[in-house]
Amino acid sequence: MSIVREKIEPVPIVFTDDGLVPNNPMPFLIYKGAVVVDRGHPEETIEQLFAAHGWGAMWRNGVFDFLHYHATVHEVLGVARGHARVRFGGDKGKELEISAGDVAILPAGTGHQRLAATSDFSVAGAYPPGPPMDLQRPTPENHARALKTIPKVELPTTDPVAGEGGPLVRLW
């Protein structure tokens, strides 16, 4: 039995630069209910999926409750447990409910902030090969630097959910 639901397609959302959060012209992707996480070790299930598709430098936690973005690397968030309301795209972005089994793929520069979450909310995150993660807060200085680094971030060669030839490869 597969850990990824069949024929799952992500919903693409493009967030525009708001002057403090650069976002990215490539779409943010959200896979709703993509991963089967009811088998006892949901964090490990998600990590194994991401690793199988070449996304490493993994971590487990949640989503920070302050607005931030990464200017040197793309990021994937796999919700292992619980659910949360997260604003993606900065203060002028979009609030989304994410829950166990959902996967969000954030191109470099995409703002994100947890607004509310259940006490059991847990995320397994990862990055494609490349430079280490950086954490940027929305300031004019960070924004100016990010506009120079984001276009240099290499495109991933695989989709962390669907692998080679997956939707991310097609949409980015």
Side-chain angles (χ1 to χ4, degrees), residues 147-165:
L147 292 179
K148 294 175 184 169
T149 60
I150 290 169
K152 297 177 184 174
V153 178
E154 290 188 30
L155 292 177
T157 58
T158 61
D159 182 305
V161 174
E164 289 183 23

Side-chain angles (χ1 to χ4, degrees), residues 96-171:
L96 297 175
E97 291 289 329
I98 58 175
S99 57
D102 293 350
V103 175
I105 307 172
L106 291 68
T110 303
H112 47 298
Q113 173 185 15
R114 175 181 44 81
L115 302 175
T118 57
S119 61
D120 62 341
F121 180 63
S122 174
V123 171
Y127 308 99
M133 184 275 291
D134 68 324
L135 191 141
Q136 302 296 324
R137 294 205 186 215
T139 68
E141 299 79 18
N142 289 345
H143 181 267
R145 277 192 304 275
L147 292 179
K148 294 175 184 169
T149 60
I150 290 169
K152 297 177 184 174
V153 178
E154 290 188 30
L155 292 177
T157 58
T158 61
D159 182 305
V161 174
E164 289 183 23
L168 175 146
V169 177
R170 184 176 71 246
L171 295 168

Side-chain angles (χ1 to χ4, degrees), residues 38-133:
D38 58 359
R39 297 197 182 138
H41 302 285
E43 290 86 359
E44 289 176 18
T45 298
I46 292 169
E47 290 167 346
Q48 289 168 4
L49 175 65
F50 294 165
H53 298 305
W55 287 60
M58 293 183 207
W59 54 268
R60 292 181 187 183
N61 198 344
V63 175
F64 290 129
D65 63 357
F66 57 88
L67 179 57
H68 66 287
Y69 60 90
H70 310 294
T72 60
V73 68
H74 308 296
E75 181 176 40
V76 61
L77 308 173
V79 182
R81 301 171 196 268
H83 57 91
R85 190 171 74 252
V86 178
R87 183 183 305 120
F88 293 99
D91 290 337
K92 297 177 182 175
K94 187 171 187 169
E95 291 182 22
L96 297 175
E97 291 289 329
I98 58 175
S99 57
D102 293 350
V103 175
I105 307 172
L106 291 68
T110 303
H112 47 298
Q113 173 185 15
R114 175 181 44 81
L115 302 175
T118 57
S119 61
D120 62 341
F121 180 63
S122 174
V123 171
Y127 308 99
M133 184 275 291

